[in-house]
Amino acid sequence: MPSARSHTADILGGGPGGSLRRSLSLRDLIVYGLLFIAPMAPVGIYGALDARSHGVVPLVYVVATVAMSFTAYSYARMIHTVPQAGSVYAYARVGLGNGPGFVAGWMMMLDYLLIPAVAYLFSGIAMAQLVPEVDQWIWTAIAVVVTTALNLSGVRRAAVVGFLVLAMEILVLLVFVVAALVVLAQDGPQRGWLSPLTGDRAFSMTALLGAVSVAVLSFLGFDAIANFAEEAVGGKGSSARLVARALVWCLLVTGVLFVLQTYLAALLSQDSSRHLAENPAEQGAAFYAATESAIGGWLETTVAVSKAIGAAFAALAGQAAASRLLYAMARDRRLPRFLGSVGLRTGVPGRALLLSAVLTMCAAVWAARSADGLDRLVSIVDIGALFGFGMLHLSVMGYYGLGRRGGGRPAAESGQAGSGQAGGRQAGGSTEGGAGSSAERHRMSVLRDWVVPLVGLAIVVAVIVTANREAHWVGLVWLVIGLVALAVLRRRDKREAAAD
Protein backbone atom coordinates (compact mmCIF):
# COMPACT_ATOMS: atom_id res chain seq x y z
CA MET A 1 0.00 0.00 0.00
CA PRO A 2 1.37 3.46 -0.83
CA SER A 3 2.23 5.70 2.09
CA ALA A 4 0.51 9.04 2.71
CA ARG A 5 3.67 10.80 1.57
CA SER A 6 3.82 8.88 -1.73
CA HIS A 7 0.11 9.51 -2.32
CA THR A 8 0.65 13.24 -1.86
CA ALA A 9 3.64 13.11 -4.21
CA ASP A 10 1.54 11.37 -6.84
CA ILE A 11 -0.97 14.22 -6.69
CA LEU A 12 1.35 17.19 -6.42
CA GLY A 13 4.30 15.79 -8.37
CA GLY A 14 7.18 14.05 -6.76
CA GLY A 15 9.89 16.12 -8.36
CA PRO A 16 10.94 17.95 -11.49
CA GLY A 17 9.73 16.36 -14.67
CA GLY A 18 6.57 14.67 -15.81
CA SER A 19 4.30 15.86 -18.55
CA LEU A 20 0.81 17.26 -18.81
CA ARG A 21 -1.93 14.96 -20.11
CA ARG A 22 -3.64 15.56 -23.44
CA SER A 23 -7.31 15.29 -22.49
CA LEU A 24 -8.97 18.62 -23.39
CA SER A 25 -11.31 18.77 -26.38
CA LEU A 26 -12.31 21.87 -28.35
CA ARG A 27 -15.40 22.21 -26.14
CA ASP A 28 -13.30 21.98 -22.98
CA LEU A 29 -10.93 24.68 -24.18
CA ILE A 30 -13.78 27.02 -25.09
CA VAL A 31 -15.37 26.36 -21.68
CA TYR A 32 -12.18 27.41 -19.90
CA GLY A 33 -12.00 30.59 -21.95
CA LEU A 34 -15.67 31.50 -21.47
CA LEU A 35 -15.48 30.73 -17.75
CA PHE A 36 -12.51 33.02 -17.31
CA ILE A 37 -14.15 35.88 -19.20
CA ALA A 38 -17.70 35.22 -17.85
CA PRO A 39 -20.61 35.49 -20.32
CA MET A 40 -22.12 38.43 -18.39
CA ALA A 41 -18.87 40.31 -17.82
CA PRO A 42 -20.33 43.67 -18.98
CA VAL A 43 -22.89 43.72 -16.14
CA GLY A 44 -20.57 45.43 -13.68
CA ILE A 45 -19.22 48.11 -16.05
CA TYR A 46 -22.28 48.69 -18.24
CA GLY A 47 -23.18 51.95 -16.50
CA ALA A 48 -19.65 53.37 -16.74
CA LEU A 49 -19.46 52.48 -20.43
CA ASP A 50 -22.91 53.93 -21.11
CA ALA A 51 -21.95 57.23 -19.52
CA ARG A 52 -18.57 57.38 -21.21
CA SER A 53 -19.72 56.40 -24.72
CA HIS A 54 -22.82 58.64 -24.88
CA GLY A 55 -25.09 55.57 -24.87
CA VAL A 56 -23.55 53.33 -27.54
CA VAL A 57 -22.32 50.41 -25.38
CA PRO A 58 -23.24 47.70 -27.96
CA LEU A 59 -21.26 49.56 -30.62
CA VAL A 60 -18.40 49.86 -28.13
CA TYR A 61 -18.30 46.07 -27.81
CA VAL A 62 -18.43 45.59 -31.57
CA VAL A 63 -15.33 47.77 -31.93
CA ALA A 64 -13.70 46.14 -28.89
CA THR A 65 -14.22 42.68 -30.40
CA VAL A 66 -12.55 43.80 -33.63
CA ALA A 67 -9.72 45.38 -31.64
CA MET A 68 -9.10 42.17 -29.67
CA SER A 69 -9.15 40.11 -32.86
CA PHE A 70 -5.65 41.45 -33.64
CA THR A 71 -4.43 39.94 -30.37
CA ALA A 72 -6.30 36.70 -31.10
CA TYR A 73 -4.62 36.51 -34.51
CA SER A 74 -1.17 36.95 -32.99
CA TYR A 75 -1.95 34.24 -30.45
CA ALA A 76 -3.11 31.88 -33.20
CA ARG A 77 0.12 32.38 -35.15
CA MET A 78 2.41 31.84 -32.19
CA ILE A 79 0.45 28.83 -30.92
CA HIS A 80 1.26 27.05 -34.19
CA THR A 81 4.92 27.93 -33.73
CA VAL A 82 5.21 27.16 -30.00
CA PRO A 83 2.43 24.76 -28.94
CA GLN A 84 3.56 24.75 -25.30
CA ALA A 85 2.28 25.66 -21.86
CA GLY A 86 3.33 29.10 -20.73
CA SER A 87 1.66 31.09 -23.51
CA VAL A 88 3.32 34.51 -23.99
CA TYR A 89 6.34 33.43 -21.94
CA ALA A 90 7.07 30.64 -24.43
CA TYR A 91 6.30 32.81 -27.46
CA ALA A 92 8.55 35.67 -26.35
CA ARG A 93 11.43 33.27 -25.67
CA VAL A 94 11.26 32.09 -29.28
CA GLY A 95 10.46 35.44 -30.90
CA LEU A 96 12.53 37.82 -28.77
CA GLY A 97 15.00 35.78 -26.71
CA ASN A 98 15.30 34.25 -23.25
CA GLY A 99 15.52 37.56 -21.39
CA PRO A 100 12.38 39.13 -22.90
CA GLY A 101 10.65 35.77 -22.52
CA PHE A 102 11.26 35.78 -18.78
CA VAL A 103 10.04 39.38 -18.51
CA ALA A 104 6.88 38.52 -20.48
CA GLY A 105 6.16 35.53 -18.24
CA TRP A 106 6.88 37.57 -15.11
CA MET A 107 4.40 40.29 -16.12
CA MET A 108 1.73 37.77 -17.13
CA MET A 109 2.19 36.16 -13.72
CA LEU A 110 0.88 39.38 -12.16
CA ASP A 111 -2.21 39.12 -14.36
CA TYR A 112 -2.91 35.46 -13.67
CA LEU A 113 -2.57 35.93 -9.90
CA LEU A 114 -4.63 39.12 -9.56
CA ILE A 115 -7.52 38.46 -11.96
CA PRO A 116 -8.56 35.30 -10.03
CA ALA A 117 -8.22 37.30 -6.80
CA VAL A 118 -10.74 39.86 -8.10
CA ALA A 119 -13.07 37.07 -9.26
CA TYR A 120 -12.91 35.36 -5.85
CA LEU A 121 -13.62 38.68 -4.18
CA PHE A 122 -16.66 39.30 -6.41
CA SER A 123 -17.92 35.85 -5.46
CA GLY A 124 -17.43 36.59 -1.75
CA ILE A 125 -19.21 39.94 -2.01
CA ALA A 126 -22.20 38.41 -3.82
CA MET A 127 -22.48 35.53 -1.32
CA ALA A 128 -22.24 37.94 1.62
CA GLN A 129 -25.21 39.86 0.19
CA LEU A 130 -27.22 36.63 -0.02
CA VAL A 131 -26.05 35.36 3.42
CA PRO A 132 -24.99 38.49 5.36
CA GLU A 133 -24.42 36.54 8.59
CA VAL A 134 -21.11 35.30 7.14
CA ASP A 135 -18.33 37.82 6.43
CA GLN A 136 -17.39 38.23 2.78
CA TRP A 137 -13.73 37.32 3.43
CA ILE A 138 -14.87 33.90 4.70
CA TRP A 139 -16.94 33.31 1.56
CA THR A 140 -13.92 34.43 -0.48
CA ALA A 141 -11.64 31.93 1.27
CA ILE A 142 -14.21 29.13 0.85
CA ALA A 143 -14.38 29.82 -2.89
CA VAL A 144 -10.57 29.56 -3.15
CA VAL A 145 -10.48 26.26 -1.26
CA VAL A 146 -13.30 24.63 -3.25
CA THR A 147 -12.01 25.60 -6.69
CA THR A 148 -8.41 24.71 -5.78
CA ALA A 149 -9.52 21.24 -4.70
CA LEU A 150 -11.36 20.85 -7.99
CA ASN A 151 -8.33 21.96 -10.00
CA LEU A 152 -6.12 19.52 -8.10
CA SER A 153 -8.49 16.66 -8.94
CA GLY A 154 -7.58 16.88 -12.63
CA VAL A 155 -8.04 19.16 -15.60
CA ARG A 156 -10.70 16.96 -17.19
CA ARG A 157 -12.91 16.86 -14.09
CA ALA A 158 -12.54 20.59 -13.59
CA ALA A 159 -13.55 21.13 -17.23
CA VAL A 160 -16.70 19.00 -16.81
CA VAL A 161 -17.81 20.89 -13.69
CA GLY A 162 -16.90 24.15 -15.38
CA PHE A 163 -19.12 23.22 -18.32
CA LEU A 164 -22.08 22.77 -15.97
CA VAL A 165 -21.45 26.15 -14.35
CA LEU A 166 -21.09 27.78 -17.76
CA ALA A 167 -24.36 26.18 -18.87
CA MET A 168 -26.04 27.75 -15.83
CA GLU A 169 -24.62 31.17 -16.69
CA ILE A 170 -25.77 30.86 -20.30
CA LEU A 171 -29.22 29.78 -19.10
CA VAL A 172 -29.50 32.85 -16.84
CA LEU A 173 -28.43 35.05 -19.73
CA LEU A 174 -31.02 33.36 -21.96
CA VAL A 175 -33.72 34.01 -19.34
CA PHE A 176 -32.71 37.67 -19.29
CA VAL A 177 -32.85 37.87 -23.09
CA VAL A 178 -36.30 36.24 -23.31
CA ALA A 179 -37.72 38.34 -20.46
CA ALA A 180 -36.31 41.51 -22.01
CA LEU A 181 -37.81 40.69 -25.41
CA VAL A 182 -41.21 40.06 -23.84
CA VAL A 183 -41.13 43.40 -22.01
CA LEU A 184 -39.98 45.23 -25.13
CA ALA A 185 -42.73 43.61 -27.21
CA GLN A 186 -45.39 44.62 -24.69
CA ASP A 187 -44.23 48.06 -23.54
CA GLY A 188 -41.69 49.18 -26.10
CA PRO A 189 -38.14 50.49 -25.42
CA GLN A 190 -37.21 53.31 -23.05
CA ARG A 191 -34.77 54.56 -25.67
CA GLY A 192 -35.02 54.44 -29.46
CA TRP A 193 -34.45 51.07 -31.11
CA LEU A 194 -31.31 52.33 -32.85
CA SER A 195 -30.05 54.57 -30.04
CA PRO A 196 -27.71 51.86 -28.63
CA LEU A 197 -25.84 52.09 -31.95
CA THR A 198 -26.21 55.82 -32.63
CA GLY A 199 -26.28 57.24 -29.10
CA ASP A 200 -28.92 58.91 -26.94
CA ARG A 201 -27.06 62.23 -27.26
CA ALA A 202 -24.55 63.66 -29.73
CA PHE A 203 -22.43 60.88 -31.19
CA SER A 204 -18.73 61.29 -30.42
CA MET A 205 -15.94 59.19 -31.92
CA THR A 206 -13.66 60.31 -29.08
CA ALA A 207 -16.20 59.10 -26.51
CA LEU A 208 -16.60 55.80 -28.39
CA LEU A 209 -12.87 55.06 -28.51
CA GLY A 210 -12.45 56.13 -24.89
CA ALA A 211 -15.07 53.56 -23.88
CA VAL A 212 -13.48 50.91 -26.10
CA SER A 213 -10.24 51.27 -24.13
CA VAL A 214 -12.20 50.16 -21.05
CA ALA A 215 -14.38 47.56 -22.77
CA VAL A 216 -11.45 45.53 -24.09
CA LEU A 217 -10.69 44.66 -20.46
CA SER A 218 -13.91 42.59 -20.43
CA PHE A 219 -12.19 40.14 -22.80
CA LEU A 220 -9.17 39.52 -20.60
CA GLY A 221 -9.04 35.81 -19.94
CA PHE A 222 -9.72 34.40 -23.41
CA ASP A 223 -5.94 34.23 -23.82
CA ALA A 224 -5.75 31.74 -20.94
CA ILE A 225 -6.72 29.02 -23.42
CA ALA A 226 -3.21 29.21 -24.89
CA ASN A 227 -1.77 27.90 -21.61
CA PHE A 228 -3.43 24.52 -22.20
CA ALA A 229 -1.63 23.83 -25.49
CA GLU A 230 0.10 20.76 -24.04
CA GLU A 231 -3.20 19.38 -22.71
CA ALA A 232 -5.27 19.60 -25.89
CA VAL A 233 -5.96 16.28 -27.59
CA GLY A 234 -3.91 15.26 -30.63
CA GLY A 235 -0.27 15.72 -31.57
CA LYS A 236 1.55 19.05 -31.50
CA GLY A 237 0.26 20.21 -34.87
CA SER A 238 -3.38 19.20 -34.40
CA SER A 239 -3.47 20.40 -30.77
CA ALA A 240 -2.12 23.80 -31.85
CA ARG A 241 -4.91 24.12 -34.43
CA LEU A 242 -7.44 23.08 -31.78
CA VAL A 243 -6.24 25.71 -29.31
CA ALA A 244 -6.17 28.42 -32.00
CA ARG A 245 -9.75 27.57 -33.05
CA ALA A 246 -10.91 27.60 -29.44
CA LEU A 247 -9.32 30.99 -28.86
CA VAL A 248 -10.99 32.54 -31.90
CA TRP A 249 -14.37 30.95 -31.13
CA CYS A 250 -14.19 32.16 -27.55
CA LEU A 251 -13.58 35.74 -28.68
CA LEU A 252 -16.42 35.64 -31.23
CA VAL A 253 -18.94 34.05 -28.87
CA THR A 254 -18.26 36.49 -26.06
CA GLY A 255 -18.37 39.40 -28.48
CA VAL A 256 -21.85 38.40 -29.65
CA LEU A 257 -23.07 37.83 -26.07
CA PHE A 258 -21.69 41.17 -24.91
CA VAL A 259 -23.33 43.08 -27.77
CA LEU A 260 -26.69 41.32 -27.29
CA GLN A 261 -27.02 41.86 -23.53
CA THR A 262 -25.85 45.48 -23.57
CA TYR A 263 -28.20 46.29 -26.47
CA LEU A 264 -31.17 44.95 -24.51
CA ALA A 265 -30.05 46.67 -21.30
CA ALA A 266 -29.80 49.99 -23.15
CA LEU A 267 -33.36 49.61 -24.48
CA LEU A 268 -34.66 48.78 -20.98
CA SER A 269 -32.76 51.50 -19.11
CA GLN A 270 -34.85 54.38 -17.77
CA ASP A 271 -31.71 56.39 -17.04
CA SER A 272 -30.04 58.22 -19.92
CA SER A 273 -26.30 58.11 -20.49
CA ARG A 274 -26.16 61.79 -19.50
CA HIS A 275 -27.86 61.01 -16.18
CA LEU A 276 -25.34 58.25 -15.48
CA ALA A 277 -22.46 60.56 -16.39
CA GLU A 278 -23.75 63.15 -13.93
CA ASN A 279 -24.31 60.53 -11.19
CA PRO A 280 -21.24 58.24 -11.09
CA ALA A 281 -22.45 56.50 -7.94
CA GLU A 282 -25.30 54.93 -9.94
CA GLN A 283 -23.10 53.51 -12.70
CA GLY A 284 -22.11 50.27 -10.96
CA ALA A 285 -25.72 49.14 -10.49
CA ALA A 286 -27.06 50.50 -13.80
CA PHE A 287 -27.53 47.07 -15.41
CA TYR A 288 -29.29 45.69 -12.32
CA ALA A 289 -31.45 48.80 -12.07
CA ALA A 290 -32.57 48.44 -15.69
CA THR A 291 -33.38 44.76 -15.11
CA GLU A 292 -35.31 45.34 -11.89
CA SER A 293 -37.34 48.28 -13.15
CA ALA A 294 -38.30 46.64 -16.44
CA ILE A 295 -38.56 42.95 -15.55
CA GLY A 296 -38.61 42.55 -11.77
CA GLY A 297 -36.48 41.91 -8.70
CA TRP A 298 -36.59 38.13 -9.18
CA LEU A 299 -34.35 38.36 -12.24
CA GLU A 300 -31.98 40.74 -10.47
CA THR A 301 -31.54 38.15 -7.70
CA THR A 302 -31.08 35.35 -10.26
CA VAL A 303 -28.38 37.33 -12.06
CA ALA A 304 -26.66 38.07 -8.73
CA VAL A 305 -26.56 34.37 -7.77
CA SER A 306 -25.25 33.46 -11.20
CA LYS A 307 -22.54 36.09 -10.91
CA ALA A 308 -21.54 34.75 -7.47
CA ILE A 309 -21.06 31.20 -8.73
CA GLY A 310 -19.69 32.23 -12.10
CA ALA A 311 -17.06 34.49 -10.54
CA ALA A 312 -15.68 31.62 -8.46
CA PHE A 313 -15.35 29.43 -11.55
CA ALA A 314 -13.83 32.26 -13.55
CA ALA A 315 -11.17 32.24 -10.84
CA LEU A 316 -10.88 28.45 -11.24
CA ALA A 317 -9.95 28.89 -14.91
CA GLY A 318 -7.53 31.70 -14.06
CA GLN A 319 -5.90 29.67 -11.33
CA ALA A 320 -5.42 26.75 -13.72
CA ALA A 321 -3.83 29.06 -16.30
CA ALA A 322 -1.53 30.58 -13.65
CA SER A 323 -0.31 27.16 -12.60
CA ARG A 324 0.59 26.26 -16.21
CA LEU A 325 2.62 29.45 -16.53
CA LEU A 326 4.47 28.74 -13.27
CA TYR A 327 5.01 25.14 -14.39
CA ALA A 328 6.43 26.16 -17.78
CA MET A 329 8.82 28.72 -16.29
CA ALA A 330 9.97 26.27 -13.60
CA ARG A 331 10.51 23.55 -16.21
CA ASP A 332 12.89 25.93 -17.98
CA ARG A 333 14.57 26.74 -14.62
CA ARG A 334 13.34 30.35 -14.67
CA LEU A 335 11.49 29.67 -11.39
CA PRO A 336 12.28 27.17 -8.59
CA ARG A 337 12.39 23.68 -10.11
CA PHE A 338 10.02 22.11 -7.59
CA LEU A 339 7.17 23.97 -9.34
CA GLY A 340 7.94 22.14 -12.60
CA SER A 341 6.44 18.82 -11.50
CA VAL A 342 3.23 17.07 -12.55
CA GLY A 343 1.16 14.74 -10.37
CA LEU A 344 1.29 11.16 -11.62
CA ARG A 345 -2.37 10.46 -10.82
CA THR A 346 -3.94 13.76 -11.77
CA GLY A 347 -1.65 14.95 -14.56
CA VAL A 348 -1.74 18.55 -13.26
CA PRO A 349 1.09 20.74 -11.87
CA GLY A 350 -0.11 20.43 -8.28
CA ARG A 351 2.65 22.38 -6.57
CA ALA A 352 2.28 25.29 -8.98
CA LEU A 353 -1.48 25.15 -8.40
CA LEU A 354 -1.06 25.32 -4.63
CA LEU A 355 1.37 28.23 -4.84
CA SER A 356 -0.92 30.22 -7.14
CA ALA A 357 -3.87 29.42 -4.81
CA VAL A 358 -2.00 30.66 -1.74
CA LEU A 359 -0.87 33.89 -3.41
CA THR A 360 -4.32 34.52 -4.86
CA MET A 361 -6.03 33.84 -1.52
CA CYS A 362 -3.72 36.29 0.26
CA ALA A 363 -4.57 39.04 -2.24
CA ALA A 364 -8.31 38.27 -2.26
CA VAL A 365 -8.72 37.99 1.54
CA TRP A 366 -6.67 41.16 2.07
CA ALA A 367 -8.93 43.03 -0.34
CA ALA A 368 -12.07 41.56 1.28
CA ARG A 369 -10.97 42.78 4.72
CA SER A 370 -9.92 46.26 3.54
CA ALA A 371 -12.35 49.12 3.10
CA ASP A 372 -10.87 50.13 -0.27
CA GLY A 373 -9.47 46.70 -1.17
CA LEU A 374 -11.78 46.07 -4.13
CA ASP A 375 -11.14 49.45 -5.75
CA ARG A 376 -7.37 49.13 -5.37
CA LEU A 377 -7.28 45.55 -6.64
CA VAL A 378 -9.47 46.30 -9.65
CA SER A 379 -7.42 49.38 -10.53
CA ILE A 380 -4.19 47.39 -11.00
CA VAL A 381 -5.42 44.00 -12.17
CA ASP A 382 -5.10 44.49 -15.92
CA ILE A 383 -1.61 45.92 -16.28
CA GLY A 384 0.15 42.53 -16.40
CA ALA A 385 -2.11 41.16 -19.13
CA LEU A 386 -1.77 44.29 -21.26
CA PHE A 387 2.01 44.18 -20.99
CA GLY A 388 1.90 40.51 -21.97
CA PHE A 389 -0.26 41.27 -25.00
CA GLY A 390 2.29 43.85 -26.09
CA MET A 391 5.08 41.28 -25.78
CA LEU A 392 2.96 38.85 -27.82
CA HIS A 393 2.75 41.25 -30.76
CA LEU A 394 6.46 42.01 -30.51
CA SER A 395 7.12 38.25 -30.55
CA VAL A 396 5.26 37.89 -33.86
CA MET A 397 7.33 40.67 -35.38
CA GLY A 398 10.54 39.25 -33.93
CA TYR A 399 9.92 35.68 -35.03
CA TYR A 400 8.38 36.24 -38.44
CA GLY A 401 9.30 39.80 -39.36
CA LEU A 402 12.92 39.88 -38.18
CA GLY A 403 13.55 36.21 -38.92
CA ARG A 404 14.48 34.88 -35.49
CA ARG A 405 13.07 31.58 -36.74
CA GLY A 406 16.49 30.84 -38.21
CA GLY A 407 15.51 30.56 -41.86
CA GLY A 408 12.27 29.33 -43.39
CA ARG A 409 8.84 29.14 -41.90
CA PRO A 410 8.26 27.02 -38.80
CA ALA A 411 7.44 23.41 -39.51
CA ALA A 412 3.94 23.71 -38.08
CA GLU A 413 3.04 26.58 -40.36
CA SER A 414 4.75 25.36 -43.49
CA GLY A 415 3.13 22.00 -42.98
CA GLN A 416 -0.28 23.60 -43.20
CA ALA A 417 0.49 25.20 -46.51
CA GLY A 418 0.41 21.98 -48.43
CA SER A 419 2.94 20.57 -50.83
CA GLY A 420 1.83 22.81 -53.69
CA GLN A 421 2.53 26.02 -51.78
CA ALA A 422 5.74 24.64 -50.40
CA GLY A 423 6.94 23.89 -53.91
CA GLY A 424 6.13 27.44 -54.92
CA ARG A 425 8.29 28.78 -52.09
CA GLN A 426 11.19 26.55 -53.02
CA ALA A 427 11.09 27.71 -56.59
CA GLY A 428 11.33 31.33 -55.42
CA GLY A 429 8.61 32.56 -57.74
CA SER A 430 9.78 30.73 -60.86
CA THR A 431 6.73 28.43 -60.82
CA GLU A 432 3.22 29.30 -61.89
CA GLY A 433 2.47 32.93 -61.12
CA GLY A 434 6.15 33.98 -61.42
CA ALA A 435 7.07 37.38 -60.03
CA GLY A 436 3.42 38.26 -59.46
CA SER A 437 2.86 35.45 -56.99
CA SER A 438 6.16 36.26 -55.29
CA ALA A 439 5.12 39.91 -54.88
CA GLU A 440 1.74 38.82 -53.54
CA ARG A 441 3.40 36.59 -50.97
CA HIS A 442 5.62 39.48 -49.95
CA ARG A 443 2.60 41.77 -49.44
CA MET A 444 0.84 39.11 -47.40
CA SER A 445 3.98 38.59 -45.36
CA VAL A 446 4.21 42.31 -44.58
CA LEU A 447 0.55 42.35 -43.60
CA ARG A 448 0.80 39.28 -41.36
CA ASP A 449 4.28 39.87 -39.92
CA TRP A 450 4.16 43.62 -39.40
CA VAL A 451 0.84 45.39 -39.98
CA VAL A 452 -1.45 43.17 -37.90
CA PRO A 453 0.86 42.93 -34.85
CA LEU A 454 1.67 46.66 -35.07
CA VAL A 455 -2.03 47.55 -34.99
CA GLY A 456 -2.53 45.14 -32.10
CA LEU A 457 0.43 46.68 -30.26
CA ALA A 458 -0.92 50.20 -30.81
CA ILE A 459 -4.28 49.19 -29.31
CA VAL A 460 -2.57 47.67 -26.27
CA VAL A 461 -0.38 50.74 -25.72
CA ALA A 462 -3.43 53.00 -25.95
CA VAL A 463 -5.21 50.96 -23.26
CA ILE A 464 -2.13 50.96 -21.01
CA VAL A 465 -1.89 54.75 -21.31
CA THR A 466 -5.51 55.13 -20.16
CA ALA A 467 -4.89 52.97 -17.05
CA ASN A 468 -4.72 54.81 -13.75
CA ARG A 469 -1.49 55.93 -12.11
CA GLU A 470 -1.58 53.26 -9.39
CA ALA A 471 -1.64 50.55 -12.06
CA HIS A 472 1.37 52.16 -13.75
CA TRP A 473 3.33 52.20 -10.48
CA VAL A 474 2.44 48.62 -9.57
CA GLY A 475 3.40 47.47 -13.06
CA LEU A 476 6.68 49.36 -12.89
CA VAL A 477 7.61 47.97 -9.47
CA TRP A 478 6.74 44.41 -10.56
CA LEU A 479 8.80 44.89 -13.73
CA VAL A 480 11.83 46.12 -11.74
CA ILE A 481 11.60 43.08 -9.44
CA GLY A 482 11.46 40.87 -12.52
CA LEU A 483 14.54 42.53 -14.03
CA VAL A 484 16.46 41.98 -10.78
CA ALA A 485 15.40 38.31 -10.80
CA LEU A 486 16.50 38.05 -14.44
CA ALA A 487 19.93 39.46 -13.57
CA VAL A 488 20.31 36.87 -10.80
CA LEU A 489 19.32 34.08 -13.19
CA ARG A 490 21.83 35.22 -15.79
CA ARG A 491 24.64 35.27 -13.24
CA ARG A 492 23.70 31.74 -12.19
CA ASP A 493 23.65 30.57 -15.82
CA LYS A 494 27.09 32.07 -16.44
CA ARG A 495 28.53 30.35 -13.38
CA GLU A 496 27.10 27.03 -14.46
CA ALA A 497 28.38 27.48 -18.01
CA ALA A 498 31.86 28.31 -16.71
CA ALA A 499 31.80 25.27 -14.44
CA ASP A 500 30.96 23.04 -17.42
Side-chain angles (χ1 to χ4, degrees):
M1 294 290 291
S3 65
R5 176 177 292 183
S6 66
H7 176 73
T8 302
D10 285 345
I11 294 175
L12 301 184
S19 59
L20 301 169
R21 295 178 182 172
R22 294 195 178 276
S23 58
L24 296 179
S25 65
L26 177 63
R27 189 197 74 175
D28 297 330
L29 293 167
I30 294 175
V31 165
Y32 268 111
L34 292 179
L35 274 177
F36 202 173
I37 297 176
M40 299 189 75
V43 167
I45 63 171
Y46 166 78
L49 291 178
D50 198 44
R52 190 165 184 169
S53 68
H54 296 188
V56 291
V57 183
L59 184 59
V60 166
Y61 274 109
V62 170
V63 177
T65 303
V66 174
M68 290 305 298
S69 68
F70 290 93
T71 296
Y73 182 80
S74 289
Y75 264 110
R77 290 202 77 189
M78 294 308 295
I79 286 170
H80 285 295
T81 302
V82 192
Q84 297 178 4
S87 184
V88 175
Y89 158 71
Y91 309 153
R93 285 191 73 199
V94 172
L96 301 173
N98 288 333
F102 175 83
V103 172
W106 182 263
M107 295 304 293
M108 289 297 287
M109 196 188 308
L110 181 65
D111 168 47
Y112 286 144
L113 292 177
L114 291 185
I115 287 183
V118 172
Y120 282 129
L121 183 55
F122 280 150
S123 180
I125 292 172
M127 289 303 299
Q129 290 177 339
L130 296 172
V131 188
E133 294 80 10
V134 180
D135 289 340
Q136 67 181 29
W137 75 266
I138 296 178
W139 285 118
T140 300
I142 290 173
V144 176
V145 171
V146 171
T147 54
T148 300
L150 189 57
N151 266 329
L152 285 171
S153 69
V155 67
R156 182 70 184 134
R157 182 175 300 172
V160 171
V161 177
F163 175 76
L164 297 177
V165 172
L166 181 63
M168 176 209 66
E169 293 185 82
I170 297 294
L171 179 61
V172 170
L173 180 56
L174 181 61
V175 170
F176 164 75
V177 170
V178 172
L181 291 175
V182 170
V183 170
L184 291 171
Q186 291 177 345
D187 305 327
Q190 296 294 323
R191 303 181 186 179
W193 289 103
L194 294 180
S195 68
L197 301 177
T198 60
D200 63 349
R201 47 183 164 142
F203 180 84
S204 168
M205 183 60 68
T206 301
L208 170 66
L209 296 179
V212 168
S213 69
V214 177
V216 295
L217 303 180
S218 299
F219 292 94
L220 294 186
F222 84 101
D223 56 292
I225 298 173
N227 283 283
F228 300 100
E230 293 181 35
E231 293 163 271
V233 296
K236 286 187 177 180
S238 59
S239 66
R241 288 191 294 272
L242 201 68
V243 173
R245 286 173 57 197
L247 197 145
V248 173
W249 271 108
C250 186
L251 177 63
L252 293 177
V253 169
T254 51
V256 170
L257 294 179
F258 290 174
V259 171
L260 176 62
Q261 65 193 271
T262 54
Y263 177 79
L264 294 174
L267 295 179
L268 296 174
S269 179
Q270 296 181 352
D271 296 325
S272 67
S273 64
R274 186 182 299 278
H275 172 83
L276 291 173
E278 294 171 352
N279 299 272
E282 299 181 18
Q283 293 176 7
F287 192 101
Y288 295 107
T291 301
E292 182 180 16
S293 63
I295 301 173
W298 65 271
L299 184 55
E300 179 190 11
T301 302
T302 302
V303 171
V305 172
S306 173
K307 289 288 288 181
I309 299 174
F313 279 82
L316 174 143
Q319 183 192 84
S323 68
R324 272 60 177 182
L325 174 60
L326 295 175
Y327 162 78
M329 295 182 71
R331 184 175 58 184
D332 295 333
R333 301 183 65 227
R334 302 296 92 183
L335 290 178
R337 294 188 67 184
F338 78 93
L339 296 173
S341 60
V342 175
L344 298 179
R345 299 189 180 186
T346 61
V348 300
R351 292 175 177 176
L353 264 169
L354 284 180
L355 179 61
S356 64
V358 169
L359 295 176
T360 298
M361 178 180 280
C362 289
V365 171
W366 165 81
R369 294 175 64 87
S370 302
D372 61 344
L374 176 61
D375 290 339
R376 297 182 68 181
L377 198 57
V378 169
S379 68
I380 64 175
V381 72
D382 304 314
I383 196 70
L386 295 171
F387 188 96
F389 289 170
M391 295 295 284
L392 166 71
H393 294 300
L394 289 173
S395 299
V396 173
M397 289 184 279
Y399 186 82
Y400 292 98
L402 297 180
R404 283 188 59 88
R405 59 189 181 274
R409 295 290 180 186
E413 189 166 284
S414 62
Q416 291 176 13
S419 59
Q421 275 187 307
R425 288 195 189 100
Q426 293 169 0
S430 61
T431 59
E432 183 180 354
S437 60
S438 178
E440 181 64 25
R441 285 198 302 272
H442 175 71
R443 285 193 294 269
M444 289 300 299
S445 178
V446 170
L447 177 65
R448 288 155 54 99
D449 302 346
W450 291 103
V451 176
V452 171
L454 276 173
V455 173
L457 180 62
I459 293 170
V460 170
V461 170
V463 178
I464 290 177
V465 169
T466 62
N468 61 46
R469 181 167 298 180
E470 186 171 10
H472 291 156
W473 278 111
V474 169
L476 180 60
V477 170
W478 187 254
L479 176 61
V480 170
I481 296 173
L483 292 175
V484 171
L486 177 61
V488 172
L489 288 172
R490 282 183 166 172
R491 288 186 62 185
R492 182 203 67 186
D493 294 341
K494 288 181 179 179
R495 287 197 304 268
E496 293 180 352
D500 293 339

